[in-house]
Amino acid sequence: QEQLVESGGGLVQAGDSLRLSCTASGPTYNNYAVGWFRQAPGREREFIGAISGSGVTQYKDSVQGRFTISRNYAENTVYLQISTLRIEDTAVYYCAADGFNTLTGTEALYYYWGQGTQVTVSS
């Protein structure tokens, strides 16, 4: 059983950078693919990108270049680095783990979810 906890969100200014963390408590987290999603007010949750257990990454085309996903195996943590933040990046950011280690943007394939962390970007 994995429990995911996101952290690192907050109120930031446009143009800033931010790093979100997703830490798990279970023993097999490092073998899972981990995806990042976000949900802006009034919008559906959308896929940002994912990282496999071996560190291979995949991103949604529209976020290529500003979002970077990495993982620290020793700390059981996956990171989402966001650079040059924009007001439209304001959203609740979620991480999710897939026990089949599949790089995918399909929410239904992710079994474990964190509670989300709020990122608010001001002008």
Side-chain angles (χ1 to χ4, degrees), residues 29-34 51-56 71 97-104 109:
Y29 180 63
N30 285 336
N31 298 324
Y32 292 178
V34 175
I51 187 167
S52 72
S54 60
V56 176
R71 66 193 309 164
D98 163 24
F100 293 99
N101 197 29
T102 304
L103 285 179
T104 177
L109 295 180

Side-chain angles (χ1 to χ4, degrees), residues 34-108:
V34 175
W36 282 97
F37 297 78
R38 67 181 179 182
Q39 187 166 22
R43 303 188 67 176
E44 293 187 354
R45 190 158 55 188
E46 67 170 342
F47 173 71
I48 297 171
I51 187 167
S52 72
S54 60
V56 176
T57 55
Q58 179 186 61
Y59 299 95
K60 182 179 178 180
D61 287 345
S62 61
V63 305
Q64 282 276 6
R66 290 199 304 121
F67 291 72
T68 304
I69 299 173
S70 61
R71 66 193 309 164
N72 183 320
Y73 295 96
E75 297 184 357
N76 253 23
T77 299
V78 171
Y79 301 103
L80 175 66
Q81 179 79 33
I82 312 171
S83 61
T84 318
L85 280 154
R86 305 169 181 170
I87 293 176
E88 54 264 36
D89 292 323
T90 295
V92 178
Y93 285 73
Y94 298 90
C95 63
D98 163 24
F100 293 99
N101 197 29
T102 304
L103 285 179
T104 177
T106 302
E107 292 188 25

